[in-house]
Amino acid sequence: MSNHIYKKIELVGSSPNSIEEAVQNAVAKASKTVHNMRWFEVVETRGQIENDKVAHWQVTLKIGFTLDPS
Amino acid sequence: MSNHIYKKIELVGSSPNSIEEAVQNAVAKASKTVHNMRWFEVVETRGQIENDKVAHWQVTLKIGFTLDPS
Amino acid sequence: MSNHIYKKIELVGSSPNSIEEAVQNAVAKASKTVHNMRWFEVVETRGQIENDKVAHWQVTLKIGFTLDPS
Amino acid sequence: MSNHIYKKIELVGSSPNSIEEAVQNAVAKASKTVHNMRWFEVVETRGQIENDKVAHWQVTLKIGFTLDPS
Amino acid sequence: MSNHIYKKIELVGSSPNSIEEAVQNAVAKASKTVHNMRWFEVVETRGQIENDKVAHWQVTLKIGFTLDPS
Amino acid sequence: MSNHIYKKIELVGSSPNSIEEAVQNAVAKASKTVHNMRWFEVVETRGQIENDKVAHWQVTLKIGFTLDPS
Amino acid sequence: MSNHIYKKIELVGSSPNSIEEAVQNAVAKASKTVHNMRWFEVVETRGQIENDKVAHWQVTLKIGFTLDPS
Amino acid sequence: MSNHIYKKIELVGSSPNSIEEAVQNAVAKASKTVHNMRWFEVVETRGQIENDKVAHWQVTLKIGFTLDPS
Amino acid sequence: MSNHIYKKIELVGSSPNSIEEAVQNAVAKASKTVHNMRWFEVVETRGQIENDKVAHWQVTLKIGFTLDPS
Amino acid sequence: MSNHIYKKIELVGSSPNSIEEAVQNAVAKASKTVHNMRWFEVVETRGQIENDKVAHWQVTLKIGFTLDPS
Amino acid sequence: MSNHIYKKIELVGSSPNSIEEAVQNAVAKASKTVHNMRWFEVVETRGQIENDKVAHWQVTLKIGFTLDPS
Amino acid sequence: MSNHIYKKIELVGSSPNSIEEAVQNAVAKASKTVHNMRWFEVVETRGQIENDKVAHWQVTLKIGFTLDPS
């Protein structure tokens, strides 16, 4: 944890089931192009309503990852 | 999604079990008087503690719905 | 609920499973030294990522408790 | 205090005398159409100045009330 | 401007052309059910993109109106 | 209320007695150099404690006044 | 006022009468365990409504006090 | 752009036509007493409604100008 | 609108003419490297002043686009 | 520290070396026209980059000073 | 870094020399009563001005420490 | 400074010595992949504590750079 530099990106994950799953889906998607992910921060939680029920949880999050080799 | 106008109302849903269920309860209650609900935004998450345990999750949310016939 | 005075403390609870469990863990820990807890407010939700998965949910919350005998 | 759902409305009360009276005036006015009011939250305090004196205190507040029969 | 009480509602207006027109559309729609509107406050400006162009300006605004006869 | 331009200045008023008096003191002081004051907005309320009592209420406020002759 | 270090704690004071009294009550209560209190900052003002009247003013405040002997 | 010091003032411009014109009007008015204006920042956008239409756009902005000779 | 994941980027668009055109310019520029743009959110509006007139409108916005094939 | 009234002005100081020096430069500049300065508050820290290095630290601060003779 | 619970306290450190030293002074002071400190967050930076110079840097910070044995 | 479009990225720089050096380290790291950097904005300042001392200053900043050739 010395002089590392981190970059943060902002994503919106979604899930029909839960806030946690929406975050997990975003992290899983990001893992295809980003390496060395270290933490996330939830920025906003919202969702879509269809037929009087929550149809999708949409969670905006920031993901921090190391820029240098760890 | 043309020139629609939406109205947003603010509710507090509660549940003894989870944040998601508190939101669902608020949406279900609102559906009795509001139609064409489209999305929600979580504004605040809090709750009550009884006997050293979380007794109720209380989630403040805004619900947006279409004012014109869809 | 008359002229009570409350104090609020700020904790960070964590859990490998869910946001709700992270809050419950913080409340359980606080109950060892604080009595008459009445409510909590979620301040921030974040977490750590290991091996491209959410390893820990970390929830910052404030807990309010009564200073006078109830 | 079980699975209640609350609705919040936003009002601006005013008074020539004090912040407290401006809030009381808004609550009194709201009581003519809203029942089961439970709490309020002050959002903003401002006012108008006439002849170099505060002529009106204007307090924006949110009022929460129960949607279900209590 | 004596002891008036105002209520504020939150709307989202939209327009394919401009921010101003999105606000005007929301005010015009609200005028069908709300009387004595006095002011508005822009809360958020966003929009939708289609085919690499802004397709709709969406402006969230609060409208204040007098509750008592003016 | 046509094409007026207003300027806002930020002051801190204080009073040993109340929030309202702290605001009034700031407005009275400002009136010695500023004319055509129209409204104020409370930005922050704080104070000093001496001997376990509130010794001074300190209210930060913004005052708006007309730049053109009214 | 040299190299002092201060600690801040967060309390909620309440009063049936006024915002100022709610703050005074919190300061008075804190004085039983905290010494060298120097200032307070109002964080939030809210209250409870009973029978269509404000029953309790509840003011969240932070109190700063000196950690070193003064 | 060396060791310049800037001062910022807060104005409210208004216009019956558009947000942009309200800003321009404020800048034009400020130019009569302030020199070396360099930038502005929009702080708030609101307006007045008359006869169910937007009668005035009111834009609060901060203007930054150089204190030293440029 | 199923389990899509979105990414958000932050841009500053500028225009000598209007806020809307500054947004359009940013979207047009982004379209050269980003596909499937879906929405934008205005974060900040500011601008530069030259010769006592607004020379450039500068709008900071976030653009959201789909990461998966739509 | 009795019934003093304070005014706050907003400045941007800059320095090629450090945040502290940028603040000191702003205070030094203000001292040429403002007397009885008592405190400052840092509002924002930013800077300019030239040739891949920080060329100027720019600190926005508010300065409070006494309006009455002390 | 498993299921740890952290507590956060809020302090104000001061120093005549720099922001960094003000933070260090607060951490040093806290170390006399708090163990297992892990991180800090700067909440606010301000200071006092005497004789037209910055006399004290005052930094409000939160310090997080582990509640369980590490 | 005509119709330029800028992009902003968010980084976290760290340094064992100072806030300024943490920013410089982030800018230096970014310069390996980003060109035409123009300004930065400090978003958050925090750090890690080891053995009762600040071990690392961690500064979150946004860096703005030109998208078009300058």
Side-chain angles (χ1 to χ4, degrees):
Chain A
M1 194 77 71
S2 56
N3 282 24
H4 282 324
I5 308 294
Y6 308 90
K7 186 176 181 181
K8 291 166 73 172
I9 53 172
E10 191 167 7
L11 300 178
V12 182
S14 77
S15 155
N17 300 315
S18 72
I19 294 171
E20 283 85 350
E21 196 177 88
V23 173
Q24 296 276 20
N25 286 348
V27 171
K29 183 77 182 181
S31 72
K32 295 178 182 172
T33 52
V34 176
H35 300 289
N36 300 312
M37 290 186 290
R38 299 291 290 270
W39 83 92
F40 68 91
E41 308 161 21
V42 171
V43 175
E44 186 186 42
T45 302
R46 54 195 296 161
Q48 290 188 306
I49 303 174
E50 293 174 8
N51 300 319
D52 296 345
K53 292 188 194 305
V54 176
H56 291 282
W57 298 89
Q58 295 175 312
V59 182
T60 303
L61 67 161
K62 292 190 179 183
I63 294 179
F65 56 95
T66 317
L67 278 181
D68 21 22
S70 62
Chain B
M1 194 77 72
S2 54
N3 281 25
H4 282 325
I5 308 295
Y6 307 90
K7 186 176 181 181
K8 290 166 73 173
I9 54 173
E10 191 168 8
L11 300 178
V12 182
S14 78
S15 155
N17 299 315
S18 72
I19 295 170
E20 282 85 350
E21 195 177 89
V23 173
Q24 297 276 20
N25 285 348
V27 170
K29 183 76 182 183
S31 72
K32 294 178 182 172
T33 52
V34 176
H35 300 289
N36 299 313
M37 292 187 289
R38 300 291 291 270
W39 83 93
F40 68 92
E41 309 162 19
V42 172
V43 174
E44 187 187 41
T45 302
R46 53 195 298 161
Q48 290 189 308
I49 303 174
E50 293 174 8
N51 300 318
D52 295 346
K53 291 188 194 306
V54 175
H56 291 281
W57 298 88
Q58 296 173 311
V59 181
T60 303
L61 67 161
K62 292 190 179 183
I63 294 180
F65 55 94
T66 317
L67 279 182
D68 21 21
S70 63
Chain C
M1 195 75 71
S2 55
N3 281 24
H4 281 326
I5 308 295
Y6 307 89
K7 186 175 180 181
K8 290 165 74 172
I9 54 172
E10 191 168 7
L11 300 178
V12 183
S14 76
S15 155
N17 299 315
S18 71
I19 295 171
E20 282 85 350
E21 195 177 88
V23 173
Q24 296 276 21
N25 286 348
V27 171
K29 183 76 182 180
S31 71
K32 294 178 182 171
T33 52
V34 176
H35 300 289
N36 300 312
M37 291 186 289
R38 301 290 290 270
W39 84 92
F40 69 91
E41 309 161 20
V42 172
V43 174
E44 186 187 40
T45 302
R46 53 194 297 160
Q48 290 188 307
I49 302 174
E50 293 174 7
N51 300 319
D52 295 346
K53 292 188 195 303
V54 175
H56 291 282
W57 298 88
Q58 295 173 313
V59 182
T60 303
L61 67 161
K62 292 190 177 182
I63 293 179
F65 55 95
T66 317
L67 279 181
D68 20 20
S70 62
Chain D
M1 195 76 72
S2 54
N3 281 23
H4 282 325
I5 308 295
Y6 307 90
K7 186 175 180 180
K8 291 166 72 173
I9 54 173
E10 191 168 8
L11 299 178
V12 182
S14 77
S15 155
N17 300 314
S18 71
I19 295 171
E20 282 84 350
E21 195 177 88
V23 173
Q24 296 276 20
N25 286 348
V27 171
K29 182 78 182 182
S31 72
K32 294 178 183 172
T33 53
V34 175
H35 300 289
N36 300 311
M37 291 186 289
R38 301 290 291 269
W39 84 93
F40 69 91
E41 309 161 20
V42 172
V43 175
E44 186 187 41
T45 302
R46 55 193 297 161
Q48 290 187 307
I49 303 174
E50 295 174 6
N51 301 318
D52 295 345
K53 292 188 193 306
V54 175
H56 291 281
W57 299 88
Q58 296 173 311
V59 181
T60 303
L61 67 160
K62 292 190 178 182
I63 294 179
F65 55 95
T66 317
L67 278 181
D68 21 21
S70 63
Chain E
M1 195 76 72
S2 55
N3 281 23
H4 282 326
I5 308 296
Y6 307 90
K7 186 175 181 181
K8 290 166 74 173
I9 54 172
E10 191 168 8
L11 299 178
V12 183
S14 77
S15 154
N17 300 315
S18 72
I19 295 171
E20 282 85 351
E21 195 176 89
V23 173
Q24 296 276 22
N25 286 348
V27 171
K29 183 78 182 181
S31 71
K32 294 178 182 171
T33 52
V34 176
H35 299 289
N36 300 311
M37 290 187 290
R38 301 289 292 268
W39 83 91
F40 69 90
E41 309 161 20
V42 172
V43 174
E44 186 187 41
T45 303
R46 54 194 297 161
Q48 288 187 309
I49 302 173
E50 293 174 8
N51 299 319
D52 295 346
K53 292 188 193 305
V54 176
H56 291 281
W57 298 88
Q58 296 173 312
V59 181
T60 304
L61 67 161
K62 292 190 179 183
I63 294 179
F65 55 95
T66 317
L67 279 182
D68 21 20
S70 63
Chain F
M1 196 74 74
S2 55
N3 281 24
H4 281 326
I5 308 295
Y6 307 89
K7 186 175 179 182
K8 291 165 72 173
I9 54 173
E10 191 168 6
L11 300 178
V12 183
S14 77
S15 155
N17 299 316
S18 71
I19 295 170
E20 282 85 351
E21 196 177 87
V23 173
Q24 297 275 20
N25 287 347
V27 171
K29 183 76 182 182
S31 71
K32 294 178 183 171
T33 52
V34 176
H35 300 288
N36 299 313
M37 290 186 290
R38 301 290 292 269
W39 83 92
F40 68 91
E41 309 162 19
V42 172
V43 174
E44 187 187 41
T45 302
R46 54 194 298 160
Q48 288 188 308
I49 302 174
E50 293 174 9
N51 301 319
D52 296 347
K53 292 187 194 305
V54 175
H56 291 281
W57 298 88
Q58 296 173 311
V59 182
T60 304
L61 67 161
K62 293 191 178 182
I63 293 179
F65 55 95
T66 317
L67 279 182
D68 21 20
S70 62
Chain G
M1 196 75 72
S2 55
N3 282 24
H4 282 326
I5 308 293
Y6 307 90
K7 186 176 181 180
K8 290 164 74 172
I9 55 173
E10 191 168 7
L11 299 179
V12 183
S14 77
S15 156
N17 300 315
S18 71
I19 295 170
E20 281 85 351
E21 195 177 88
V23 173
Q24 296 275 21
N25 286 348
V27 171
K29 182 77 182 182
S31 72
K32 295 178 181 171
T33 52
V34 176
H35 300 289
N36 300 313
M37 292 186 288
R38 299 290 291 270
W39 83 92
F40 68 90
E41 308 161 21
V42 171
V43 175
E44 186 187 41
T45 303
R46 53 194 297 161
Q48 290 188 307
I49 302 173
E50 293 174 9
N51 300 318
D52 295 346
K53 291 187 194 304
V54 175
H56 291 282
W57 297 89
Q58 296 174 312
V59 182
T60 304
L61 66 162
K62 292 191 178 183
I63 293 179
F65 55 96
T66 317
L67 280 181
D68 19 21
S70 63
Chain H
M1 194 77 72
S2 55
N3 281 25
H4 282 324
I5 309 295
Y6 307 90
K7 185 174 181 181
K8 290 165 74 172
I9 54 173
E10 191 168 7
L11 300 178
V12 182
S14 77
S15 154
N17 299 315
S18 72
I19 295 171
E20 282 85 351
E21 195 177 88
V23 173
Q24 297 276 20
N25 286 348
V27 171
K29 182 78 182 182
S31 71
K32 295 177 181 171
T33 53
V34 176
H35 300 289
N36 299 312
M37 293 187 288
R38 300 291 291 269
W39 82 93
F40 68 91
E41 308 162 20
V42 172
V43 175
E44 187 187 40
T45 303
R46 53 193 298 159
Q48 290 187 308
I49 303 174
E50 293 175 8
N51 300 319
D52 296 346
K53 291 188 193 306
V54 176
H56 290 281
W57 298 88
Q58 296 174 312
V59 181
T60 304
L61 66 162
K62 293 191 178 182
I63 294 179
F65 55 95
T66 317
L67 279 181
D68 22 20
S70 63
Chain I
M1 193 76 72
S2 55
N3 281 24
H4 281 327
I5 308 294
Y6 307 90
K7 186 175 180 181
K8 290 166 74 173
I9 54 173
E10 191 168 8
L11 299 178
V12 182
S14 78
S15 155
N17 299 315
S18 72
I19 295 171
E20 282 84 350
E21 195 177 90
V23 173
Q24 296 276 20
N25 286 347
V27 171
K29 183 77 180 181
S31 71
K32 294 178 181 171
T33 53
V34 176
H35 300 289
N36 300 312
M37 292 186 289
R38 301 291 291 268
W39 83 92
F40 69 91
E41 309 162 20
V42 171
V43 175
E44 186 188 42
T45 302
R46 54 193 298 160
Q48 289 188 308
I49 302 173
E50 294 174 7
N51 299 320
D52 296 346
K53 293 189 194 304
V54 175
H56 291 281
W57 298 89
Q58 295 174 312
V59 182
T60 304
L61 67 161
K62 293 191 178 182
I63 293 179
F65 55 95
T66 317
L67 279 181
D68 21 20
S70 62
Chain J
M1 195 76 71
S2 54
N3 282 24
H4 282 326
I5 308 294
Y6 307 90
K7 186 175 180 181
K8 292 165 73 173
I9 53 172
E10 191 168 7
L11 300 178
V12 183
S14 77
S15 155
N17 300 315
S18 72
I19 294 170
E20 283 84 350
E21 195 177 88
V23 172
Q24 297 276 21
N25 286 348
V27 170
K29 182 77 183 181
S31 71
K32 294 177 182 173
T33 53
V34 176
H35 300 287
N36 300 312
M37 290 186 290
R38 301 290 292 269
W39 83 93
F40 69 90
E41 308 161 21
V42 172
V43 175
E44 187 186 41
T45 303
R46 54 195 297 161
Q48 290 188 307
I49 303 173
E50 293 174 9
N51 300 319
D52 296 346
K53 292 187 194 306
V54 175
H56 292 280
W57 297 88
Q58 296 174 311
V59 182
T60 303
L61 67 161
K62 292 190 179 183
I63 294 179
F65 55 95
T66 316
L67 279 181
D68 21 21
S70 63
Chain K
M1 196 75 72
S2 55
N3 282 24
H4 282 326
I5 308 294
Y6 307 90
K7 186 176 179 180
K8 291 165 73 172
I9 54 173
E10 191 168 7
L11 300 177
V12 183
S14 78
S15 155
N17 300 315
S18 70
I19 295 171
E20 282 84 351
E21 196 177 88
V23 173
Q24 296 276 21
N25 286 348
V27 170
K29 182 78 181 180
S31 71
K32 294 178 182 172
T33 52
V34 176
H35 300 288
N36 299 313
M37 290 186 290
R38 301 289 292 269
W39 84 93
F40 69 91
E41 310 161 20
V42 172
V43 175
E44 187 186 41
T45 302
R46 54 193 297 161
Q48 291 188 306
I49 303 173
E50 294 174 8
N51 300 320
D52 296 346
K53 291 188 194 304
V54 176
H56 291 281
W57 298 89
Q58 296 173 312
V59 182
T60 304
L61 67 161
K62 293 190 178 182
I63 294 179
F65 55 95
T66 316
L67 279 182
D68 21 20
S70 62
Chain L
M1 196 75 73
S2 55
N3 282 24
H4 281 325
I5 308 294
Y6 306 90
K7 186 176 180 180
K8 291 165 73 173
I9 55 172
E10 191 167 8
L11 299 178
V12 183
S14 78
S15 155
N17 299 315
S18 71
I19 295 170
E20 282 85 350
E21 195 176 270
V23 173
Q24 297 276 21
N25 286 347
V27 170
K29 183 76 181 182
S31 71
K32 294 178 182 171
T33 52
V34 176
H35 300 289
N36 300 312
M37 291 186 289
R38 301 290 291 269
W39 83 93
F40 68 91
E41 309 162 19
V42 171
V43 176
E44 186 186 40
T45 303
R46 53 194 298 162
Q48 289 187 308
I49 303 173
E50 293 175 8
N51 301 319
D52 296 346
K53 291 186 195 305
V54 175
H56 291 281
W57 298 88
Q58 296 173 312
V59 182
T60 303
L61 66 160
K62 292 190 179 183
I63 294 179
F65 55 96
T66 317
L67 278 182
D68 20 22
S70 62

